[in-house]
Amino acid sequence: MTPEDYVQQKAAASGSSFYYAFLFLPKPRRAAITAFYAFCREVDDVVDEVSDSGVAHTKLAWWQNEVRQAFAGQPSHPVMKALMPHVPVYDLRQEQFQAVIQGCQMDLEQTRYLDYPGLQRYCHLVAGVVGEVSARIFGQTDTHTTDYAHTLGQAFQLTNIIRDVGEDAMRGRIYLPVNELQQFDVKAHEVLQRVHSDRFVKLMQFQAERAHALYDRALSLLPAADLRAQKPGLMMASIYRTLLREIEHENFQVLHQRISLTPLRKLWLAWKVQALGRV
């Protein structure tokens, strides 16, 4: 299996909304974003699939060194072998890859966030930076597009947090800020025991409103000059925001199930953005 085959299989197997947006890209950009997405999946899987935190720390430390070695011209993992030819083309930086790994390390060291600014730091690393790299690969020409991409990445991450409350609780994690749990009188043990209540719904409505505000802000920040190039990000925005609305429609029943969109619906939403040029 070639490195290119490896990253393609890694991206396709995830079933992520991102994959549907990649389908509409020209081949060179599609190859670059697929390799980058596979990198993100590899390091994220360390946190989700390795139960021993010591082993997970060791694996992430290996990835940190692999990134350093790759940027020194000696990649060994198929993902980095597939990714490195694209690094100079899109002016990608080592610190961006290290930031994504650092965000995954936070998952091993922290299971609660006291307030939203603390959560924002995590979202910056695991999603904001990912948005910035993606925007460059998609064809960014205006420096202001970085703010759009970073904000949109954070909106995606908040949507993920809302969708995954139940799954995260089963891993002992609560990403909802502690002071906001207190604000809506939702106890941590209720979240961990996956107790659905009117108080929980109000808390989640508050989170959803914040996510919607981030989507609105991101779209307002996108320069007209990069509107066409950033279509893949707009496709993802359409898919993720539709998912958020679906969760709202289901009254935030996220504690015992994973609400998702069908592959056909994701493809339809992506195609509509491709055809109409807007979300």
Side-chain angles (χ1 to χ4, degrees), residues 22-186:
F22 301 165
L23 295 175
F24 296 89
L25 281 167
K27 190 174 181 180
R29 295 188 191 277
R30 187 167 72 243
I33 196 65
T34 299
F36 176 62
Y37 179 72
F39 165 79
C40 294
R41 287 260 41 94
E42 288 284 351
V43 295
D44 193 53
D45 285 349
V46 171
V47 176
D48 289 342
E49 297 176 3
V50 180
S51 55
D52 186 310
S53 64
V55 173
H57 271 293
T58 300
K59 284 180 174 286
L60 289 180
W62 183 90
W63 272 106
Q64 286 176 316
N65 186 63
E66 170 66 8
V67 168
R68 284 192 290 269
Q69 291 294 106
F71 273 81
Q74 297 178 303
S76 63
H77 194 280
V79 162
M80 297 310 294
K81 287 182 178 179
L83 189 50
M84 291 313 295
H86 304 289
V87 164
V89 177
Y90 302 108
D91 191 27
L92 308 183
R93 302 189 306 276
Q94 181 181 167
E95 57 263 33
Q96 294 171 315
F97 294 85
Q98 298 290 5
V100 175
I101 299 172
Q102 186 183 346
C104 292
Q105 286 176 321
M106 285 183 71
D107 270 328
L108 299 178
E109 298 161 358
Q110 192 168 345
T111 58
R112 302 286 190 280
Y113 292 88
L114 292 178
D115 51 27
Y116 182 57
L119 181 62
Q120 276 185 305
R121 169 65 180 160
Y122 169 74
C123 292
H124 159 72
L125 293 170
V126 300
V129 172
V130 172
E132 292 175 18
V133 172
S134 300
R136 296 194 71 82
I137 293 172
F138 295 155
Q140 174 180 350
T141 62
D142 190 314
T143 56
H144 292 97
T145 297
T146 299
D147 292 334
Y148 145 82
H150 189 276
T151 305
L152 190 60
Q154 292 201 317
F156 293 160
Q157 189 62 29
L158 282 186
T159 304
N160 283 339
I161 287 171
I162 291 167
R163 179 195 62 194
D164 296 339
V165 172
E167 290 181 15
D168 291 329
M170 292 171 67
R171 297 188 177 105
R173 296 185 201 148
I174 302 175
Y175 290 98
L176 307 172
V178 171
N179 67 339
E180 293 172 7
L181 289 173
Q182 294 169 341
Q183 179 183 340
F184 291 92
D185 194 29
V186 175

Side-chain angles (χ1 to χ4, degrees), residues 172-278:
R173 296 185 201 148
I174 302 175
Y175 290 98
L176 307 172
V178 171
N179 67 339
E180 293 172 7
L181 289 173
Q182 294 169 341
Q183 179 183 340
F184 291 92
D185 194 29
V186 175
K187 307 295 188 288
H189 72 82
E190 292 178 317
V191 178
L192 294 174
Q193 293 168 9
R194 297 186 291 159
V195 177
H196 194 270
S197 66
D198 291 341
R199 289 172 288 111
F200 176 78
V201 170
K202 287 184 171 63
L203 168 65
M204 299 308 288
Q205 286 172 336
F206 181 80
Q207 306 301 321
E209 286 168 9
R210 172 182 284 148
H212 279 302
L214 280 170
Y215 283 112
D216 289 339
R217 181 165 180 268
L219 296 175
S220 73
L221 288 170
L222 177 59
D226 276 350
L227 185 60
R228 182 182 293 274
Q230 298 303 318
K231 270 187 180 181
L234 297 177
M235 292 176 189
M236 290 184 282
S238 178
I239 292 169
Y240 266 77
R241 204 166 191 181
T242 300
L243 171 62
L244 180 58
R245 290 178 177 129
E246 193 75 15
I247 292 169
E248 290 173 301
H249 180 71
E250 295 290 329
N251 202 34
F252 299 97
Q253 293 287 347
V254 292
L255 291 168
H256 296 278
Q257 64 178 326
R258 182 186 178 92
I259 297 173
S260 60
L261 306 180
T262 65
L264 184 61
R265 192 171 179 192
K266 291 177 183 178
L267 188 60
W268 167 243
L269 290 167
W271 180 85
K272 280 207 300 183
V273 173
Q274 175 68 14
L276 302 177
R278 53 185 169 78

